[in-house]
Amino acid sequence: MVARHAMNTIEFLKRVLPATGLYIAARKVNKGFPAVVCDTIEEGAQQVLASDAQGVTAYHACAAFLEREVESINAKGEKYMQVRVQRNVRALRSFFMDLDVEAGNPDKFSSQSEACDELWRFSNEAGIPFPNLIVSSGYGVHVYYTLTAEIQRETWKPVADGLKTLCAKYKFRADPACTGDAARILRSVGTFNRKDPQNPRPVEIIMEGPDLGFANFQAKVVEALKACGEKLTEAVRKAAIPTDAINQEFAVTHDFPPCSARKVADRCPQLAKMRDTRGNISEPHWYNSIQLLCHSVEGTDLIHEWSRGHPSYSAEETDKKIAQIRDQKIGPTLCST
């Protein structure tokens, strides 16, 4: 892990977030955190920086989302719409912790230096990798374990909960509400912390290192939980499988019959919408569609044919997404998605 030069907001968000989906930029207004839903990371960065330029505290959500809003029901049975909720999370590309600093508070750290020293102790004693992205939030410290590829919330959650359990076991005072919250918002690099309006402090990178492979990080968390006598949940137990077996489990196999995307689109309304609009659909819908098309007999040519109707279509960018899916051995999109 090495100290680095200033990282701008777009670079930072691309480091911690999945490459596709809907993104949330939030701002603090009185006691609320109204959200702006963005189609790209670049748009999210613009919203964050615009809020900061107005002197308003700005945040990013730490996940990519599926829908612009989802319906919820309150205790009175009344319906209302939300966006930043767990069930609307599409994917994540990092684990994260919030280390609060407040002198004299035994539940928090006395300084950023103490927080970083304790982080080093915790990592060594638990036997898990040291975080590869550490951010000064102005007063406290935000810790990220950034990954080489995105993972689904269902995969992320048990490992995040395991990390939270390890913090408690080793008396590491990370905010437990943050560590296991897939829809969490945190301050964005490139903005200012204005708790003291007369002395705004920059949110900036302290240290960074290379991305981590998920399977290895997952296995280390499981080993640490077992070493301290923690009973493993069924969801996290899979991480005890050796890394080679994990990789094999998630690898795309080819023992299924050949699949024609044209025939699938005749029966699947989601894929039919991509076909009929020639890709003039939301980016998450498009990306999920090409994950399926990559495994069809028509393959790359049909992906381009069914994507050219979008005003932002680019053959080069489309090829990059196709290569990403194939390089990471991402399987076909499920009907449940």
Side-chain angles (χ1 to χ4, degrees):
M1 176 105 20
V2 295
R4 75 157 277 154
H5 63 280
M7 180 186 288
N8 68 36
T9 306
I10 294 177
E11 290 173 330
F12 166 70
L13 293 179
K14 285 186 174 180
R15 182 75 189 273
V16 301
L17 293 172
T20 63
L22 297 173
Y23 307 95
I24 291 178
R27 48 192 282 152
K28 187 173 183 180
V29 178
N30 298 322
K31 295 183 179 180
F33 297 89
V36 176
V37 181
C38 304
D39 292 308
T40 65
I41 288 177
E42 289 81 1
E43 183 187 349
Q46 289 173 0
Q47 290 288 344
V48 164
L49 294 173
S51 294
D52 185 68
Q54 296 168 5
V56 178
T57 303
Y59 304 83
H60 66 278
C62 296
F65 292 80
L66 286 164
E67 305 291 343
R68 291 186 176 277
E69 55 183 9
V70 293
E71 187 176 85
S72 297
I73 302 176
N74 64 21
K76 297 180 180 179
E78 300 167 333
K79 295 180 180 179
Y80 63 102
M81 305 305 292
Q82 292 180 289
V83 58
R84 194 173 60 83
V85 290
Q86 305 282 327
R87 59 193 168 88
N88 194 30
V89 168
R90 189 190 76 75
L92 302 99
R93 200 190 151 194
S94 60
F95 295 89
F96 35 82
M97 298 189 292
D98 185 7
L99 314 184
D100 288 326
V101 169
E102 184 181 330
N105 187 333
D107 295 325
K108 300 181 180 181
F109 299 96
S110 61
S111 66
Q112 287 187 335
S113 294
E114 186 200 20
C116 290
D117 288 344
E118 282 293 290
L119 177 61
W120 186 260
R121 174 195 65 80
F122 165 67
S123 301
N124 285 337
E125 291 184 3
I128 62 173
F130 193 73
N132 52 6
L133 198 61
I134 302 178
V135 175
S136 166
S137 64
Y139 293 86
V141 175
H142 294 164
V143 169
Y144 293 88
Y145 301 86
T146 64
L147 305 175
T148 55
E150 68 174 46
I151 54 175
Q152 301 299 302
R153 180 175 66 89
E154 294 78 11
T155 303
W156 180 91
K157 180 62 174 171
V159 180
D161 286 344
L163 185 61
K164 181 165 64 174
T165 297
L166 290 173
C167 289
K169 286 284 185 179
Y170 288 94
K171 302 187 186 306
F172 181 59
R173 290 162 286 172
D175 177 2
C178 172
T179 309
D181 181 5
R184 189 71 172 189
I185 56 173
L186 291 173
R187 296 177 187 271
S188 305
V189 165
T191 66
F192 285 86
N193 184 323
R194 293 181 170 84
K195 284 184 179 178
D196 179 357
Q198 304 305 315
N199 182 31
R201 297 186 179 184
V203 180
E204 57 189 354
I205 301 294
I206 298 175
M207 300 183 79
E208 73 154 336
D211 290 334
L212 302 170
F214 170 68
N216 181 61
F217 182 74
Q218 182 187 39
K220 290 292 186 183
V221 169
V222 168
E223 290 171 11
L225 289 168
K226 292 169 68 176
C228 64
E230 186 66 21
K231 185 177 180 180
L232 303 183
T233 65
E234 183 61 31
V236 84
R237 196 184 306 278
K238 282 187 176 182
I241 302 170
T243 300
D244 288 345
I246 293 173
N247 290 339
Q248 187 61 38
E249 180 183 350
F250 286 99
V252 178
T253 57
H254 297 281
D255 56 355
F256 44 80
C259 160
S260 168
R262 297 185 189 278
K263 291 183 178 179
V264 173
D266 288 338
R267 299 190 178 189
C268 171
Q270 300 296 335
L271 201 59
K273 188 172 182 180
M274 179 180 178
R275 175 197 63 194
D276 296 342
T277 65
R278 289 299 187 262
N280 195 9
I281 51 180
S282 70
E283 185 172 12
H285 187 166
W286 175 79
Y287 190 69
N288 282 325
S289 297
I290 70 168
Q291 284 182 38
L292 177 58
L293 292 172
C294 277
H295 299 283
S296 69
V297 293
E298 295 91 351
T300 300
D301 289 343
L302 191 64
I303 292 174
H304 284 282
E305 179 185 333
W306 287 6
S307 299
R308 290 191 181 97
H310 195 283
S312 300
Y313 167 76
S314 159
E316 182 181 0
E317 290 301 317
T318 300
D319 282 335
K320 285 182 181 179
K321 296 301 182 185
I322 294 170
Q324 181 185 64
I325 290 167
R326 289 174 173 160
D327 290 347
Q328 295 175 13
K329 295 182 172 62
I330 298 174
T333 306
L334 302 178
C335 292
S336 57
T337 301

